[in-house]
Amino acid sequence: MSDDRVTQTPHTTIIERRSGGGGGLLIGLAVLIVVVVAAYFMIARGDSETAKNNAITSAAKSVESTADKAGSAIDGATDGK
C-alpha cells in the first residue's frame, strides 16, 4: 500500500456588499441647490435691470414732454412780440 497524503484546507469566502452610503446623492443634491440659487439670482438681476431701464425710459419721456411744453410756451411768448 502506498502512503498518499491528502490535505484539505478550509476555504473561507468573504463577500463585501457596498451600499453607496448616500454620499453621491448628497453631493448631487448640493450641486442642484447651488444651480437653483444661481439661477434665481440671475433672473432677479435681469428683472432688476429691466425695471431700472423702464424707470429711466419713463423719466426721459417725462423730461421730453416737459421740454416740449416749455419750448411751446417760449415760442408762444416770442411770437407775440
Side-chain angles (χ1 to χ4, degrees), residues 33-50:
I33 289 171
V34 168
V35 168
V36 168
V37 168
Y40 172 77
F41 281 113
M42 294 295 284
I43 290 170
R45 181 177 177 215
D47 289 344
S48 173
E49 289 289 323
T50 301

Side-chain angles (χ1 to χ4, degrees), residues 10-68:
H11 185 268
T12 303
T13 302
I14 299 174
I15 299 173
E16 292 184 21
R17 293 188 183 180
R18 292 181 153 192
S19 62
L25 181 63
L26 191 60
I27 291 172
L29 185 60
V31 168
L32 180 63
I33 289 171
V34 168
V35 168
V36 168
V37 168
Y40 172 77
F41 281 113
M42 294 295 284
I43 290 170
R45 181 177 177 215
D47 289 344
S48 173
E49 289 289 323
T50 301
K52 183 177 80 171
N53 290 342
N54 288 341
I56 291 171
T57 301
S58 176
K61 286 181 182 178
S62 177
V63 168
E64 178 186 21
S65 174
T66 303
D68 287 343

